[in-house]
Amino acid sequence: MPVERSGHQGGPCGKSRRGGVEAVPGMARREEQAEGDNHLSLAGNERRPALVASLGTLGLWLQQDMADSAQAQKLVYLVTGGCGFLGEHVVRMLLQQEPRLRELRIFDLHLGPWLEELKTGPVQVTAIQGDVTQAHEVAAAMAGAHVVIHMAGLVDVFGRASPETIHAVNVQGTKNVIEACVQTGTQFLVYTSSMEVVGPNIKGHPFYRGNEDTPYEAVHRHPYPCSKALAEQLVLEANGRKVRGGLPLVTCALRPTGIYGEGHQIMRDIYHQGLRLGGRLFRAIPASVEHGRVYVGNVAWMHVLVARELQQRAALMGGQVYFCYDKSPYKSYEDFNMEFLGPCGLRLVGTRPLLPYWLLMLLAALNALLQWLLRPLLLYAPLLNPYTLAMANTTFTVSTNKAQRHFGYEPLFSWEESRTRTIRWMQTMDSSAQ
Ligand SMILES: NC(=O)C1=CN([C@@H]2O[C@H](COP(=O)(O)OP(=O)(O)OC[C@H]3O[C@@H](n4cnc5c(N)ncnc54)[C@H](O)[C@@H]3O)[C@@H](O)[C@H]2O)C=CC1
Ligand SMILES: C[C@H](CCCC(C)(C)O)[C@H]1CC[C@H]2[C@@H]3[C@H](O)CC4=CC(=O)CC[C@]4(C)[C@H]3CC[C@]12C
């Protein structure tokens, strides 16, 4: 099987319930047992029509059923950043869609109160307050885990955190997760990367309906995309390293485009900005600039699937990157947001940008200057800055089926459902604010 590689160029800164054998770290005996179980399972199915025949066969089935249920719930997953916007969706999705879960560990700097409600279910939910920058905390949390989904990160393109802090969390944090896998014997690592590791680049080149192999000059200067690109590279290079017990580490990276859905903070901010402006937003970006967006439920579903299938198809999926995609329409950032803000009573004024681009750029630069001047006194971090303007103003859309080909991904939520769910969430937010 040829190994597919990502097509971007340049350095970082510059519902299937499969059974089968799981390669559980340090548990060769379990593998042997699972192979045996598989064999038994076949034998059992073949003999099913002969049910009437013998008590011996019945005994075999009973044994088989017991072995199946013992097998069914045996995996320990750890989700770093599990209390964030995407993390909460991934945690809930895992509990709904991963029948082999025995324990779900949620590792985050800030634990959410909603975790309490999950603790009464059949899966053991363990909340761990910890910091990915602290190697010992990560290693302690990871001991005995089979799969880690690493999505803890500082998502900051507004200048709230320093470049050093972004690097520490996103890059050093990822190094710590990889080393903890090696030390503790965790064999499967899924990393939540970002479209930002590819682009848009500093030159503002469009990426139009591209896929994982589309050639593109990936050059960044901003700390966030730089850190994500470095971290992704570390994760992919770690594929194949031997973990404790001697088995190879299997890694892959998912690259969501701009995520939207219930709990999306930026959407909340834009909504409140609109309310402050008397229910209006003013078009700043030409409608022709397309921006890739993907529904949070589908991104979560993709994480669940990739984590499951990575265990079955390590040779194909190890070391690979996958864009996260669904059926959300290609639109400009602002027009897309209006799909949700419109039904909540907001209006986008203008069919063309109200201000010329040079003036917006000037305002963005002014915001950056003000941020720098005010830093000793307060944190001034508006949505508009030179980086976010460049992001919003550069076409970046994805058209790929790599995830479908490699691990059978199909979006769980249609566009209509994703839209309805997001609107419903915004309307509850709206009524609770009144
Ligand atoms: N929101 C988006 O549009 C996109 C997000 N991503 C990636 O998805 C991941 C999740 O992003 P979101 O849920 O949007 O962000 P978020 O900020 O809502 O969630 C990140 C979580 O990580 C936790 N965290 C931060 N620093 C930590 C530390 N030092 N130790 C432990 N936990 C820490 C935070 O407390 C938070 O719960 C990130 O890695 C991000 O880069 C990728 C593409 C798009
Ligand atoms: C905040 C930006 C929109 C500002 C509009 C303006 C200029 C009129 O005020 C957002 C435009 C594009 C967004 C980013 C994009 O979706 C890709 C991302 C991927 C990530 O991994 C994290 C988030 C983000 C950087 C996202 C952040 C907001 C925008 C810059």
Side-chain angles (χ1 to χ4, degrees):
M1 186 70 71
V3 175
E4 293 189 28
R5 286 279 160 219
S6 162
H8 82 260
Q9 298 154 358
C13 285
K15 224 156 255 190
S16 79
R17 294 186 174 196
R18 272 164 211 287
V21 183
E22 282 111 19
V24 177
M27 294 194 184
R29 201 196 60 75
R30 277 207 192 170
E31 280 185 45
E32 282 158 23
Q33 184 191 338
E35 278 175 30
D37 290 347
N38 274 354
H39 173 73
L40 263 181
S41 161
L42 258 178
N45 287 335
E46 280 160 9
R47 284 178 204 173
R48 209 148 281 195
L51 174 65
V52 280
S54 78
L55 274 173
T57 310
L58 192 64
L60 244 183
W61 282 354
L62 281 174
Q63 265 180 11
Q64 172 57 33
D65 279 354
M66 280 158 69
D68 277 352
S69 52
Q71 276 272 308
Q73 282 191 303
K74 68 173 192 181
L75 294 183
V76 178
Y77 275 49
L78 178 120
V79 181
T80 72
C83 290
F85 161 49
L86 174 59
E88 179 173 349
H89 286 265
V90 168
V91 162
R92 292 186 189 277
M93 187 69 77
L94 276 169
L95 292 172
Q96 281 166 20
Q97 303 277 1
E98 187 42 83
R100 295 175 313 154
L101 258 193
R102 170 163 60 81
E103 183 187 349
L104 179 56
R105 296 184 192 159
I106 298 150
F107 181 96
D108 203 299
L109 205 50
H110 308 287
L111 298 177
W114 55 272
L115 287 175
E116 288 309 311
E117 85 199 48
L118 307 179
K119 290 187 177 164
T120 51
V123 175
Q124 185 188 332
V125 173
T126 312
I128 306 168
Q129 203 228 327
D131 184 343
V132 285
T133 66
Q134 303 303 310
H136 63 283
E137 292 183 13
V138 180
M142 224 136 99
H146 303 115
V147 179
V148 57
I149 300 179
H150 173 45
M151 57 178 59
L154 255 182
V155 185
D156 182 20
V157 290
F158 305 109
R160 293 185 185 127
S162 70
E164 293 75 25
T165 312
I166 294 176
H167 185 91
V169 176
N170 295 356
V171 183
Q172 188 57 47
T174 303
K175 274 188 193 158
N176 292 342
V177 169
I178 295 168
E179 291 312 316
C181 286
V182 172
Q183 261 176 45
T184 65
T186 300
Q187 208 200 334
F188 301 99
L189 166 61
V190 176
Y191 175 61
T192 313
S193 181
S194 167
M195 70 179 235
E196 294 258 314
V197 307
V198 180
N201 62 19
I202 49 169
K203 299 180 179 176
H205 293 157
F207 186 88
Y208 180 75
R209 317 270 165 106
N211 63 32
E212 291 83 352
D213 297 318
T214 304
Y216 188 79
E217 209 183 325
V219 240
H220 315 286
R221 268 199 217 116
H222 194 277
Y224 175 74
C226 280
S227 68
K228 293 300 284 186
L230 276 170
E232 184 191 89
Q233 192 178 4
L234 291 170
V235 167
L236 300 179
E237 283 172 4
N239 184 58
R241 270 183 77 180
K242 291 275 179 293
V243 302
R244 186 176 175 191
L247 292 167
L249 179 61
V250 187
T251 68
C252 75
L254 292 181
R255 293 172 174 170
T257 54
I259 307 173
Y260 69 93
E262 304 94 303
H264 188 211
Q265 185 59 43
I266 299 176
M267 190 80 83
R268 234 182 239 147
D269 293 347
I270 295 176
Y271 175 63
H272 289 127
Q273 196 176 60
L275 289 184
R276 283 196 299 275
L277 292 170
R280 288 166 305 172
L281 287 165
F282 298 96
R283 189 184 289 279
I285 306 296
S288 57
V289 177
E290 284 185 0
H291 195 87
R293 303 293 285 269
V294 59
Y295 175 62
V296 67
N298 287 324
V299 180
W301 171 230
M302 213 162 156
H303 279 74
V304 173
L305 260 190
V306 94
R308 182 189 298 162
E309 296 299 322
L310 199 57
Q311 300 167 59
Q312 314 292 334
R313 308 179 192 198
L316 173 67
M317 293 170 62
Q320 295 289 327
V321 296
Y322 301 95
F323 276 121
C324 296
Y325 55 90
D326 61 13
K327 300 273 166 47
S328 303
Y330 299 113
K331 288 191 172 207
S332 77
Y333 193 79
E334 292 168 319
D335 285 304
F336 190 85
N337 288 348
M338 287 315 293
E339 292 280 350
F340 320 106
L341 298 170
C344 294
L346 260 56
R347 204 158 54 85
L348 181 63
V349 180
T351 48
R352 293 215 216 127
L354 250 65
L355 300 177
Y357 189 69
W358 66 263
L359 189 52
L360 267 179
M361 206 55 194
L362 194 72
L363 289 174
L366 203 67
N367 273 343
L369 180 69
L370 271 174
Q371 178 173 77
W372 182 74
L373 288 174
L374 294 173
R375 201 175 280 285
L377 304 170
L378 57 94
L379 179 67
Y380 175 65
L383 283 183
L384 178 67
N385 66 42
Y387 182 73
T388 58
L389 179 59
M391 288 283 100
N393 201 49
T394 307
T395 286
F396 195 102
T397 46
V398 162
S399 172
T400 176
N401 65 358
K402 185 174 174 185
Q404 190 270 326
R405 284 185 285 114
H406 278 206
F407 53 94
Y409 163 77
E410 291 291 346
L412 198 57
F413 302 94
S414 65
W415 157 239
E416 289 70 27
E417 199 170 352
S418 309
R419 184 174 177 271
T420 307
R421 284 171 171 254
T422 309
I423 293 171
R424 216 186 292 139
W425 165 71
M426 296 214 40
Q427 287 170 340
T428 10
M429 188 172 80
D430 192 13
S431 53
S432 62
Q434 282 164 4

